[in-house]
Amino acid sequence: MRTLSRRGINASLIHQVLIEEAVIGWEELELEVVRDEKNQKITVCFIENIDAMGVHTGDSFCVAPMLTVPEKLQKRMQELSYRIVEAIGVVGGTNIQFAHNLEDDRLVAIEINPRTSRSSALASKATGFPIARVSTKLAAGLTLDEIPYWRKGTLEKYEPWGEYVVIKFARWAFEKFRQAKDVLGTQMKAVGEVMSIARSFKEAFQKSIRSLEIGRYGLGFAKDFNSLSLEELKARLAFPTSERVFLIYEALRKGASVEELHEITHIGKWFISEMKELVEFENRMLAQGWKKLSDVDLRRAKERGFADRYLAKIFQVKESEVRSRRKKAVGNARFEPVPVSGVENAAYYYSTYSPGKDLVPVSSKKKVLILGGGPNRIGQGIEFDYTCVHAAFALRDEGFETIMINCNPETVSTDYDTSDKLYFEPLTVEDVLTIWEKEKPFGAIVQFGGQTPLNISAELEANGMKILGTSTRSIAFAEDREMFRQKMIQLGIRQTEGGTAFSLEEAMKIAEKIGYPVMVRPSFVLGGRGMEVIYDQGMLTKYAKEAIQVSPEYPMLIDRFLENALECEVDALSDGEDVFVAAVMEHIEHAGIHSGDSACMIPPRSIKQEHLKVIEEWTKAIARELKVVGVINIQFAICNDLVYILEANPRASRTVPVVSKTTGIPLARIATLLMLGKKLSDFPHLVRHKLPYVTVKEAVFPFNMFPEVDPVLGPEMRATGEVMGIGSDFGIAFFKAQESAGTKLPRNGNVLVTVADKDKKDLFAIGSRLKQLGFKILATENTHRFLKEKGVDTELIKKVHEGRPNIADGIKNKEIQLIINTPVGRMSVYDDSYIRTLAIQYKIPYVTTMAAARATVDGIESAKKEELPKSLQEYHQLLKEQKAQKVGA
């Protein structure tokens, strides 16, 4: 952007706009280039985006190497890229993006990232070239001709190579944002991605689809797309969406030509032709039927990437039947290596059904298989990668050969040196069993990869896989809400009233007996999906009919909702007999906000000792009853001075990293050793000590990607990640956590306060403290009147429907530095979601609960005192010194 101050214009008072030529519909191409201080330059990877320009590269379906781009054009891009990095003076990796007009061959550089980027991670995993590692060496003064290269001696001779195809496919979460429009454009909307490797485009493409974990194992018969007419399919293809490839597949089945689909979507004709060939082969198989399908065609289906599960779906037979026949007629997939550049003798592996020999040797060492977390998505992020990686380190130290299975290019678990063997594969029953049967490991760990491995663990076990640690039966037992409820009754552990409804009539009776509000959820969805707080019969009817279509096949779980309840959770270790409670985390938001969205603190600051004692006793009782071997997470609520259990997860949870980093206790490592047979008594130093500091975990949300979505939190998780703040007291830890999450709390200025009537009882103390801290309070009419009556001075500000100047004007004019706004709710005539959406658009800190408002004031107050930063190691040293003093005393 051009600097305007030299023209006498104050640039901080205006919006600067960068205007460029639109190149929508052109093809988008990327290069990853590395340069050293000797000006030696190499191209690591050529990436071809299959979606045309106009779709953000983070959302775009792409392939490496380039499959349809002429070598002459690739050389032009390489020459331009080399001139660019030389002119800039980059040392290390650079991602350069081009737009290419197929009509006139015009080539335009559209973006340059002289750093490691999201595309760098993909390029690294796609080629076996560790860009970040090599860039670090170059930054330290080494040059390319000093780093080894397995093909030609040293890295200055590197060139993209490999007889395989890599696909990257984005993972979206539109189901979590009901107001969001599923339309892809220049604003990235993906929350994660998968990568697949195979010998052909078709095989890699189909492998990427089953890697996504969206309940689809192939391209056909998604949702109701097969029932739509060709004209309806074309209409839906007019705009890019997350469903585009599935719509194209059914349009091809309905007779659409490659040319007309290219005209509508701007996707290259070659790629659409590949999809058409898949459709034609699928139709040919369907015409034969399962019984008459030849073994030759079954082999061809596997070579083209058709999954056992997908074949079972289209032929309406059991997957086990397909697997049994496929193993007899075709056998298992074979494996090939992707050699790693820049290091000696390293590789990772992929499967293929193409003809040839298996090129991956198997050792005779004792091995353990670790199932990773798959693509990042809401509810399952990098936290589970953390536990998988630490499990691999622990197993390696114990002398085991570690084998990792994962398909996420963004993670450390898919780095070549994290485990002894990495299989870059989908986490499906078929793919995991193929590796299990090849490697014949001692056992497998499934409790560290989140919901991904848990969803398939029972089936894997039924097919002969030995699961280490907590049994699949115990895990399934905890996830069956009705069975878990009965077990808690037997143990005498208090829980909210509830029941299971198999019809709308039953649901109404249970809700009436319990009393509104109630918490409802479908029993058939794992991981907290579809939860909602219901306040009356009308809401219940709408939810039961529209959201889950309650029926005997799809029952609905109903529990009494604990209003204004304090929520907390526990992470504990268990060896099946003894239990160690590592930490109790107090949530800042009240119960009703998903635990993954709520900020939390360690140690708790407002839970009574008597309640902490009950929580610890119940945690131990539950862990023993479920025979947990490894780690368990349990969530509790405290309401009206009584403790209630909410749920138990006998597996690694999202909180394991924050608890480990807070306490210095390596939970994932110890849990892994417990799974191998060690006992808690083997860890004599495992003691919970009073912490001389406080940590706060805060969630990170993607609301900036969905401007049409009201960012109010509830029981359905929406966070895509988290951060941690640490300090001498709660306030400074909270302040740091907010800043880490991208919310810089103000130390002075104007605060907009507009809260619902039910929240006004908590407002006086917050308003008074804000005034004491020097803030000016702007309040809407009812809030202004309430605070005025309490003696808190405020200035009246209008809502949008009350005239101007109003709240929207204040936000746009940067006259407001902090917003405290609790939603007015369904009973209000006027919607106040515009306040929250404007806050996101203009990057103004906002809170939507009174609990978060209190924490925010605490944070601002502590931040005014200033505190010198300390490293995590220095905080842990304080803990060690405190332990030593206690022992000495």
Side-chain angles (χ1 to χ4, degrees), residues 199 203 299 303 334 336 352-358:
R199 290 284 291 185
E203 189 178 23
R299 170 171 285 284
E303 288 174 5
R334 65 182 187 86
E336 293 198 2
T352 179
Y353 276 94
S354 64
K357 293 182 179 179
D358 191 310

Side-chain angles (χ1 to χ4, degrees), residues 1 53 99 222 225 253 321 341 420 438 658 709 752 754 849:
M1 290 186 224
M53 279 294 301
F225 300 159
R253 198 196 299 275
E321 185 180 338
S341 302
D420 295 307
K438 173 183 171 65
V658 72
V709 173
L752 168 65
T754 172
T849 67

Side-chain angles (χ1 to χ4, degrees), residues 592-613:
I593 305 296
H594 192 286
S595 61
D597 287 351
S598 179
C600 71
M601 69 194 87
I602 307 174
R605 65 171 182 163
S606 60
I607 302 177
K608 296 178 181 178
Q609 281 300 317
E610 62 192 82
H611 294 329
L612 288 171
K613 186 178 178 183

